[in-house]
Amino acid sequence: MDTSVMPPMPVTNPLTEFFWEGARAHKLMILRCQSCGYFVHYPRPICERCLSEELAPEQVSGSATLYSYTITMKAWHPFWVDKVPYVLASVELPEQPDLKMLTNIVDCEHDAVEVGMALEVTFREVAAGLTLPLFKPVGS
Ligand SMILES: [Zn+2]
C-alpha cells in the first residue's frame, strides 16, 4: 500500500456505506430489491424494475465477465502517477443480465485482457480505510 499520496476517497452515505464496509470485509455486496429480487447497482434508493423502496445489500458470487475496458495511460491524479498504465473496466456480474460495475483488472498482462474473459473479484486496500473490489482472471 502506497501511503505517500492518498487517492480521492469515496464520500459515503447511508445508501453506499454497505458497499465500502463489504469491500473492507472482502465481500462484494450489491443492493437487491426485496420485493422482486432485482439487483440494483450503482446503489439507488428505489428499485428500477418495480419501484419498491425495500432494498437490502446481498453478497454476490464475485464472478464476472469482462464487458468493456480501456487501458489508462495518463495519471489524472497524483495517486496514479506510479500506477499507470492500468486497466479500467466495466464487468458484468452473472447474477443478472446487464448488472455491471466499474472496476480495474489486475494480475493480468495488458495484452491478455480480452472482452468476455472470465474474472473473479479480489480485494485490495489501496489506502488506509479504502479497500476496492477489483477483478482478476479466474485462477490467476
Ligand atoms: Zn423490485
Side-chain angles (χ1 to χ4, degrees):
M1 176 173 48
D2 179 9
T3 58
S4 58
V5 179
M6 290 292 283
M9 297 295 282
V11 177
T12 62
N13 60 48
L15 187 60
T16 61
E17 182 57 30
F18 75 90
F19 182 84
W20 304 110
E21 282 181 9
R24 284 190 290 273
H26 292 194
K27 295 177 179 177
L28 184 58
M29 306 295 289
I30 302 289
L31 275 186
R32 189 170 199 185
C33 178
Q34 302 302 293
S35 296
C36 75
Y38 196 74
F39 286 96
V40 175
H41 187 78
Y42 58 93
R44 282 159 280 185
I46 297 174
C47 174
E48 63 191 55
R49 189 163 79 173
C50 77
L51 304 182
S52 169
E53 296 178 14
E54 299 300 317
L55 301 169
E58 183 172 308
Q59 185 175 5
V60 293
S61 66
S63 297
T65 302
L66 183 56
Y67 178 78
S68 184
Y69 72 97
T70 188
I71 297 176
T72 300
M73 306 298 287
K74 179 173 174 53
W76 297 98
H77 181 279
F79 177 74
W80 280 282
V81 166
D82 60 350
K83 297 166 184 72
V84 290
Y86 62 88
V87 181
L88 176 64
S90 173
V91 302
E92 186 170 13
L93 308 183
E95 280 75 11
Q96 177 175 292
D98 210 34
L99 179 62
K100 297 186 186 87
M101 63 181 297
L102 291 177
T103 185
N104 297 138
I105 306 302
V106 296
D107 299 340
C108 183
E109 295 295 327
H110 293 171
D111 289 346
V113 175
E114 188 174 18
V115 168
M117 68 191 303
L119 302 166
E120 61 190 3
V121 72
T122 182
F123 294 91
R124 302 282 166 84
E125 185 179 14
V126 298
L130 178 59
T131 298
L132 298 178
L134 307 178
F135 284 80
K136 63 180 185 172
V138 170
S140 67

